[in-house]
Amino acid sequence: MKRMFAFTLILGIASCGTIGIGSNHETMIYNNSSDTISASSDSGIFKIKPDSHLRIQSNNGIAISNLNENCPQPIVTRRPNGPAIFFDIFPGIIFGIVPIAIDAITNNLYRMPKSYTYSCVE
């Protein structure tokens, strides 16, 4: 019984991007411009009014567009989930490729930023 508990505990630590640390797939977009912007992600297209904010779910990235051609059209990109990758390697190396495979399948090797502020001053 002790071996089973230890095995489960180590496996849990080893795939911590999924189980422990998790990843952030939600980004709070703040619109500090005078125009309504559109935020496009894999969960849909959302309109954000001036001086407001909206939480958007996305696994891959968020493209922000503005009808005003003088304003930037940025793409909010995801970044590697450093702590999860670290724990997938150490102590995850004990289980070989299993921990990193679990995190890759569940899309927890990357995370979106917690917030992003869009600004366009004319």
Side-chain angles (χ1 to χ4, degrees):
M1 187 66 174
K2 288 182 182 180
R3 287 184 183 177
M4 184 61 135
F5 177 73
F7 179 76
T8 305
L9 181 64
I10 291 172
L11 188 61
I13 291 171
S15 59
C16 63
T18 300
I19 298 169
I21 295 170
S23 67
N24 179 24
H25 295 298
E26 289 186 341
T27 302
M28 182 69 76
I29 305 289
Y30 295 94
N31 183 3
N32 286 343
S33 69
S34 59
D35 301 315
T36 299
I37 61 172
S38 295
S40 177
S41 71
D42 50 357
S43 62
I45 300 173
F46 305 94
K47 301 276 186 195
I48 305 173
K49 294 182 180 183
D51 297 320
S52 64
H53 60 277
L54 181 66
R55 185 177 308 277
I56 297 177
Q57 173 82 21
S58 179
N59 292 330
N60 296 314
I62 301 171
I64 298 176
S65 60
N66 189 338
L67 294 177
N68 187 343
E69 294 178 4
N70 297 327
C71 293
Q73 313 289 323
I75 297 175
V76 182
T77 58
R78 62 186 186 164
R79 297 186 182 108
N81 189 349
I85 293 171
F86 174 78
F87 285 116
D88 283 344
I89 295 170
F90 179 81
I93 196 74
I94 297 168
F95 298 104
I97 196 167
V98 172
I100 205 157
I102 291 171
D103 287 344
I105 291 169
T106 58
N107 202 18
N108 286 315
L109 288 177
Y110 295 92
R111 64 170 51 169
M112 293 293 293
K114 292 184 184 201
S115 65
Y116 180 83
T117 302
Y118 178 83
S119 296
C120 179
V121 180
E122 289 184 19

